[in-house]
Amino acid sequence: MGKAKFGIFGDGKELPQIAMAKAFQKGDIRSGYYRDQTFMLALGELTLEQYFAQLYAHTDVQADPASAGRLMNGHFATRSLDDQGQWINLSESNYAISDVSPTAGQMPRMVGLGYASKLFRNNLDLESLSNFSNQGNEVVFGTIGNAATSEGMFFEAMNAIGVLQIPVVMSVWDDDYGISVPQEYHTTKGSISAILQGYQRTKTEKGFELFKVKGWDYAALMETFKTAAAISREEHVPTFIHVTELTQPQGHSTSGSHERYKSDERLEWEKAHDCILKFREYLLAEDFCSAAELDQIELEAKTTAKAAKNAAWKAFNVSMKPDYLSAIAILDKAILQSAHKPALKDIKNVLETTLNPLRMDVIKAIKKALRYLRNERNDARKEAMAWIQQVSEANRQRYSSHLYSESEHSALKVPEVKVQYSQDEEKMVDGRQVLQACFDAALSRDSSIFAFGEDVGLIGDVNQAFAGLQAKHGEMRVTDTGIREITIIGQGIGAALRGLRPIAEIQYLDYLVYALATLTDDLATLQYRTRGGQKAPLIVRTRGHRLEGVWHSGSPISMLLGSLRGMYLLVPRNMTQAAGFYNTLFQSDDTALIIECLNGYRLKERIPSNIGEFTVPLGVPEIIREGSDVTVVTYGSMCRVVMEAAEHLQEVGISTEVIDVQTLIPFDIPGICLESVKKTNRVIFTDEDVPGGGSAYMMQQVIEKQGAYAYLDAEPVTLSGADHRPAYGSDGDYFSKPNTETVFDKVYALMSETDPIAFPDLYK
Ligand SMILES: Cc1ncc(C[n+]2csc(CCOP(=O)(O)OP(=O)(O)O)c2C)c(N)n1
Ligand SMILES: [Mg+2]
């Protein structure tokens, strides 16, 4: 009837989920997918009414605690945070990580969820964090569909889980299909457990304990889940359960019927092997109960489900009522007071005859009415205008809140502590040593902080910012990983979801592309999609911008700006600013990506005397050179290029103001760029991204959002890298990216347009 827009259900997969729920203990964690409704119901973490509330997109957190109406049905979650965004006691909770729709998207984070148990068990310094763990005894229960095991994320995560030997019970709900596509298209040999045989642990080799069990065989399921969970919990060994012969009685989702692609034989087989039917046969055969008792249970189940559905629908409608009623009242008043009675009556009539009117129908009606009232000065118009303001804010809360942390630990609320230098300490060090001192202080101060990534452990990362820190703080704090960017991020997300403070390192920004799916789908959406119910304050560290060639000097900023809303994006120009950002983030519960300058690790910087304490606030640009003629807005490695150009410009009599925005998300909260443009009336935005990329973003922020348009005497200009990736070698870099000369020429051209006598054309 169009009451719910889309439905996807867990039918045909009930029985293994009951077995899994029975093996699940308080403190355990689930990372699964949209079929897991029976598990959530059996655990008591989902009521039937909540189930239907999500189907109807009810925006109250109480009605749909998993997503407050933001996610389609079948996207389950418990809340790990209280109303203030503070952790609840996870070691005494059932913890279901909020689902994502992309198939296998639940896999990468499993690595970190399980890895946290390993850290909690083996790192005795974490014992005091008993709110998060009972000495690492928690098991992660992963679920996935058979077809989704074809995804790269599945295999990358399985390998990482096996390497790390962490307590994960990984189950596959195998119904032989992925929507319409049968097994033979998905899996070599048609069986995921067949091809995973090499993962089986032996007496001498570590690996997984593998199980295969029929999804309708209750006794076998109970035995399998109990055994697997005990092995994972006690031995900290991953286990894998291939649950076969499952069905899908109603087809994949509400968007199509499975009769189109399943043969009659298959449909018959599915009917006969439905796990609830088989369970019934088993209960009767074993004489556990009578057919009449089971009939009664089935009847009651239907009645209970219907009652929950009706209650959820009623509650949803009640939540829609106040806006609707006030809109009708405003329209009634307008009809009385306005000269446009017939048109307004029509609007009211349309609204009143709309079946199940939504918030959008109500807003549309009042906005349409306001167009008729635009030349009138009556109470109805005033009321309508005030009402629009009020409901817009309420709807912003409903649909746009919690993209970032709204708790007292928001990164934007961390107090600024200015950097200090001791008088006698004029010594200059390599930039990487500034970071090294910052990380050393952080690791010493807070035992929940740890860092990992490719080459981060033994050698202390390829640029040596962690040099010596593994030897000093131990392998559990500073650790190498395999080459597996998606699951490095997943390892960070999972550990952060469990209250730890990971720094996940991606060796080069160019390789962040491999991890982008998990960053954008899982990490960046987490607080938003749970409406502040879950958080993963992960710090992602990488290095980028200038160095050498196509895959070591990338600055794909617009790709990040377009995909990582929900994370903060920090682009420090040197290692001191980077250290200040790390210190800010360590105190916050937001997640952020920091891009250090690849060519900055050996440049000399002064070492702050308060290296472990000073903070750099997010969203506050720094004017790194004052000037009066032209404002140049930039960040990262470009700061040095622009500063050099500004020197040359000064020689010809042009005064350049250089602004380092420092963070792209958030962007210039106090409006420092605007104030500069008010003074210079000319502005250039420059970075190393492609044309129309990061520079265009900055232009939109300053010209449109801050309103600098009104203060310009010349057209606003961008200067970016070339359309292609940078070529190798010094000349390759020079001709692929903005350089001192191109910056000089852009600024000069602006001045030449203003005063061609003083600044004649240089080249024509
Ligand atoms: C990355 C991605 N690709 C495609 C889809 C569309 N899609 C949703 S479910 C599905 C089939 C999944 O089949 P399976 O993993 O066997 O799970 P089942 O639904 O059968 O339980 C597909 C292709 C998606 N959600 N995500
Ligand atoms: Mg399937």
Side-chain angles (χ1 to χ4, degrees):
M1 293 176 68
K3 288 178 178 170
K5 295 203 87 175
F6 176 79
I8 189 155
F9 309 106
D11 51 321
K13 299 175 178 67
E14 293 92 346
L15 217 49
Q17 296 186 31
I18 288 181
M20 187 167 104
K22 286 183 189 281
F24 196 95
Q25 296 180 5
K26 283 260 149 58
D28 287 349
I29 306 107
R30 161 201 170 268
S31 183
Y33 80 119
Y34 50 81
R35 298 286 179 213
D36 292 344
Q37 70 190 42
T38 310
F39 172 77
M40 295 298 291
L41 291 163
L43 217 56
E45 294 298 340
L46 175 73
T47 67
L48 284 174
E49 204 171 318
Q50 288 166 353
Y51 182 82
F52 285 104
Q54 189 178 49
L55 193 69
Y56 299 134
H58 194 147
T59 54
D60 283 1
V61 171
Q62 284 73 22
D64 170 23
S67 73
R70 291 178 179 185
L71 298 181
M72 281 176 168
N73 88 305
H75 288 64
F76 308 107
T78 54
R79 297 185 80 78
S80 62
L81 307 175
D82 65 19
D83 292 346
Q84 270 70 52
Q86 310 288 343
W87 294 106
I88 60 167
N89 186 342
L90 292 180
S91 65
E92 287 180 359
S93 308
N94 298 316
Y95 192 6
I97 309 304
S98 161
D99 295 351
V100 296
S101 295
T103 48
Q106 70 274 36
M107 293 301 304
R109 71 169 97 97
M110 264 179 233
V111 177
L113 291 166
Y115 187 65
S117 285
K118 182 170 174 159
L119 292 179
F120 281 120
R121 186 174 283 184
N122 298 312
N123 181 356
L124 299 181
D125 292 339
L126 298 175
E127 255 178 13
S128 60
L129 298 177
S130 57
N131 262 13
F132 295 111
S133 175
N134 174 19
Q135 295 169 335
N137 288 335
E138 306 77 22
V139 170
V140 181
F141 286 82
T143 68
I144 192 168
N146 57 298
T149 65
S150 310
E151 298 278 14
M153 284 188 197
F154 173 79
F155 285 97
E156 187 177 314
M158 284 294 287
N159 179 56
I161 290 166
V163 166
L164 293 170
Q165 288 293 290
I166 51 180
V168 174
V169 177
M170 184 67 226
S171 301
V172 175
W173 306 151
D174 188 349
D175 60 7
D176 276 311
Y177 283 85
I179 310 187
S180 66
V181 181
Q183 200 79 295
E184 66 206 76
Y185 285 87
H186 296 294
T187 309
T188 309
K189 300 186 176 184
S191 164
I192 188 66
S193 54
I195 59 171
L196 291 184
Q197 283 304 313
Y199 283 60
Q200 174 64 52
R201 66 174 174 165
T202 66
K203 282 207 169 68
T204 52
E205 294 163 316
K206 291 177 176 167
F208 282 68
E209 191 61 44
L210 304 180
F211 299 86
K212 187 174 174 184
V213 60
K214 291 186 171 55
W216 46 262
D217 185 345
Y218 184 68
L221 285 165
M222 285 298 292
E223 184 59 30
T224 305
F225 274 92
K226 194 173 128 206
T227 310
I231 292 173
S232 287
R233 197 180 308 280
E234 284 150 31
E235 301 176 44
H236 266 198
V237 169
T239 49
F240 177 85
I241 307 176
H242 184 191
V243 183
T244 61
E245 300 197 12
L246 288 169
T247 68
Q248 202 131 274
Q250 300 183 102
H252 178 76
S253 69
T254 50
S255 60
S257 87
H258 60 157
E259 285 79 10
R260 285 179 302 161
Y261 49 80
K262 284 179 187 162
S263 67
D264 290 345
E265 294 78 52
R266 172 74 196 184
L267 290 167
E268 279 307 307
W269 181 90
E270 289 204 7
K271 266 197 192 121
H273 289 80
D274 180 273
C275 60
I276 293 181
L277 178 70
K278 285 286 200 184
F279 189 35
R280 182 188 173 96
E281 289 169 10
Y282 163 80
L283 293 173
L284 294 176
E286 296 288 328
D287 232 2
F288 286 127
C289 52
S290 70
E293 280 173 297
L294 291 175
D295 288 347
Q296 183 60 28
I297 288 173
E298 285 185 8
L299 199 69
E300 277 171 22
K302 264 192 191 154
T303 321
T304 314
K306 270 201 179 131
K309 182 195 74 172
N310 292 338
W313 176 246
K314 197 170 159 205
F316 173 75
N317 271 317
V318 167
S319 78
M320 292 287 152
K321 267 277 157 9
D323 281 3
Y324 173 82
L325 292 177
S326 41
I328 292 289
I330 290 170
L331 289 172
D332 279 339
K333 196 177 240 182
I335 291 165
L336 276 179
Q337 296 178 350
S338 169
H340 296 280
K341 293 187 195 326
L344 291 164
K345 273 186 184 160
D346 273 356
I347 294 171
K348 185 184 168 202
N349 189 37
V350 168
L351 186 57
E352 278 180 331
T353 52
T354 302
L355 188 64
N356 307 320
L358 297 172
R359 295 201 167 87
M360 54 181 261
D361 298 307
V362 178
I363 296 263
K364 275 174 188 239
I366 296 295
K367 286 200 165 175
K368 194 165 181 195
L370 272 169
R371 289 173 211 151
Y372 286 100
L373 298 173
R374 69 187 185 277
N375 291 321
E376 300 182 0
R377 295 288 168 269
N378 47 35
D379 279 356
R381 178 167 177 256
K382 263 193 225 144
E383 260 178 50
M385 287 160 80
W387 183 86
I388 288 283
Q389 300 292 331
Q390 177 209 321
V391 296
S392 298
E393 176 48 28
N395 286 329
R396 197 199 65 76
Q397 284 293 332
R398 282 186 191 104
Y399 300 105
S400 300
S401 75
H402 294 90
L403 183 56
Y404 298 91
S405 169
E406 297 187 4
S407 83
E408 61 176 326
H409 303 299
S410 154
L412 305 185
K413 294 184 189 155
V414 174
E416 181 178 7
V417 177
K418 297 253 190 243
V419 65
Q420 288 169 6
Y421 298 95
S422 57
Q423 299 280 301
D424 45 275
E425 196 53 77
E426 281 301 314
K427 208 178 76 181
M428 303 292 274
V429 297
D430 286 349
R432 62 119 193 147
Q433 289 171 292
V434 175
L435 283 178
Q436 186 188 26
C438 165
F439 292 140
D440 190 12
L443 289 162
S444 305
R445 185 179 59 232
D446 182 347
S447 52
S448 68
I449 294 175
F450 65 103
F452 56 93
E454 296 153 19
D455 302 292
V456 169
L458 187 64
I459 65 166
D461 95 39
V462 288
N463 293 94
Q464 301 271 285
F466 280 98
L469 297 185
Q470 183 184 71
K472 181 169 174 186
H473 297 280
E475 220 203 313
M476 277 179 292
R477 309 291 303 286
V478 183
T479 312
D480 285 316
T481 67
I483 307 175
R484 46 175 182 79
E485 283 76 14
I486 290 187
T487 52
I488 287 173
I489 295 303
Q491 194 167 340
I493 295 172
L497 278 161
R498 293 196 57 192
L500 296 171
R501 296 309 316 260
I503 305 170
E505 177 171 321
I506 299 295
Q507 202 159 76
Y508 298 98
L509 177 55
D510 306 74
Y511 308 132
L512 191 86
V513 179
Y514 273 32
L516 196 64
T518 291
L519 287 168
T520 182
D521 290 331
D522 197 1
L523 184 58
T525 63
L526 182 69
Q527 297 221 34
Y528 175 78
R529 72 180 193 263
T530 56
R531 201 182 201 250
Q534 293 186 356
K535 64 182 174 186
L538 170 64
I539 300 172
V540 181
R541 172 181 190 230
T542 192
R543 47 189 76 90
H545 314 314
R546 296 189 175 234
L547 199 68
E548 286 301 336
V550 169
W551 288 284
H552 295 87
S553 49
S555 202
I557 298 300
S558 43
M559 176 184 83
L560 305 176
L561 288 167
S563 52
L564 299 185
R565 306 294 166 109
M567 294 182 76
Y568 287 126
L569 180 54
L570 319 185
V571 282
R573 68 179 177 278
N574 60 32
M575 303 309 157
T576 306
Q577 297 308 100
F581 282 143
Y582 284 113
N583 288 339
T584 302
L585 292 174
F586 290 138
Q587 295 178 53
S588 113
D589 63 1
D590 273 299
T591 175
L593 170 65
I594 300 198
I595 304 169
E596 296 164 13
C597 296
L598 246 174
N599 60 0
Y601 295 106
R602 308 236 165 245
L603 298 177
K604 300 295 178 194
E605 296 183 32
R606 277 175 82 192
I607 190 134
S609 56
N610 58 346
I611 186 70
E613 289 90 46
F614 82 100
T615 57
V616 174
L618 273 56
V620 184
E622 192 175 323
I623 297 172
I624 52 176
R625 180 187 173 107
E626 292 202 11
S628 52
D629 293 325
V630 179
T631 299
V632 180
V633 179
T634 192
Y635 60 87
S637 298
M638 277 298 292
C639 288
R640 281 193 306 118
V641 175
V642 175
M643 290 296 270
E644 207 178 296
E647 279 296 312
H648 298 312
L649 286 157
Q650 195 63 57
E651 286 163 17
V652 299
I654 298 173
S655 167
T656 313
E657 179 140 305
V658 184
I659 300 182
D660 172 10
V661 297
Q662 306 208 80
T663 66
L664 288 164
I665 309 174
F667 187 90
D668 187 8
I669 298 168
I672 287 169
C673 294
L674 174 65
E675 290 310 310
S676 176
V677 176
K678 281 184 187 170
K679 181 172 69 174
T680 61
N681 312 114
R682 294 176 194 86
V683 63
I684 294 177
F685 302 91
T686 181
D687 74 352
E688 303 175 35
D689 197 5
V690 292
S695 56
Y697 165 81
M698 296 193 288
M699 185 158 159
Q700 181 263 341
Q701 291 286 313
V702 176
I703 303 299
E704 181 189 334
K705 199 168 166 205
Q706 298 186 351
Y709 176 76
Y711 301 94
L712 288 178
D713 286 346
E715 63 169 334
V717 178
T718 62
L719 174 63
S720 60
D723 277 319
H724 52 79
R725 296 187 183 204
Y728 173 64
S730 298
D731 274 351
D733 172 70
Y734 189 84
F735 292 106
S736 303
K737 296 227 169 167
N739 54 55
T740 316
E741 282 64 47
T742 53
V743 174
F744 181 101
D745 290 349
K746 273 276 178 195
V747 176
Y748 187 91
L750 273 186
M751 294 308 291
S752 170
E753 188 192 301
T754 312
D755 187 351
I757 312 278
F759 304 108
D761 208 309
L762 291 172
Y763 306 117
K764 273 190 246 159

